[in-house]
Amino acid sequence: MKITFAVLGLATMITHSAQAGELYIISRCAPIQILTGWKTDPFGSSSPVFVNGKLVGNLKICDALRTNVGAGNHNVRVKLAGKSDYGISSDAGMSVAAAAAPVYVVMTNNNFTSAYVVNSEEGRQHLANVRQANK
């Protein structure tokens, strides 16, 4: 009987982990921010981030946002300070495929008009840089 419950519990954990994952949206830091922790605009406004049309938080330059998502394709959009014209800032946003492993979306510039998905190693490094700068 105990073995049956253990097997059922393991199957539930495997099924659950295959259905949910972490999505990190990262705004890179300039090298001076990484080395000194100094932010270019610590009081600057932040931009709302939407996943599948739902607000999940706000993102500043040299910042990161984490949210849980299910497996499958998700629409990520960053509405930049009232503008909604280009790339990930546009109404169309960006399609991101998620699975059980964390997914890292990194902004290519400080105006959040474009982004790309990076591999786990590079994503963890970008995340570490943001955390280091924000200590």
Side-chain angles (χ1 to χ4, degrees):
M1 187 70 145
K2 289 181 182 178
I3 294 173
T4 303
F5 287 121
V7 170
L8 288 174
L10 180 60
T12 302
M13 287 183 351
I14 291 171
T15 302
H16 178 67
S17 66
Q19 293 176 350
E22 295 174 311
L23 174 63
Y24 290 92
I25 302 158
I26 303 168
S27 171
R28 299 182 302 168
C29 303
I32 191 69
Q33 294 164 321
I34 295 168
L35 295 174
T36 66
W38 182 75
K39 298 179 189 176
T40 56
D41 188 6
F43 304 108
S45 63
S46 56
S47 298
V49 176
F50 300 87
V51 175
N52 299 328
K54 179 183 173 191
L55 179 66
V56 295
N58 294 295
L59 189 66
K60 290 184 175 185
I61 295 171
C62 193
D63 194 7
L65 179 66
R66 178 192 162 277
T67 188
N68 288 324
V69 295
N73 289 325
H74 300 279
N75 181 272
V76 177
R77 196 181 97 189
V78 179
K79 187 161 173 113
L80 174 66
K83 294 184 179 180
S84 186
D85 301 330
Y86 306 101
I88 195 166
S89 293
S90 74
D91 290 335
M94 172 184 181
S95 181
V96 176
V103 177
Y104 300 89
V105 175
V106 179
M107 299 297 139
T108 59
N109 49 37
N110 290 342
N111 58 10
F112 301 167
T113 55
S114 62
Y116 58 101
V117 176
V118 298
N119 64 43
S120 293
E121 183 178 333
E122 189 176 345
R124 285 191 300 269
Q125 183 59 55
H126 282 293
L127 194 57
N129 290 345
V130 167
R131 288 177 177 160
Q132 177 65 29
N134 289 323
K135 275 187 175 178

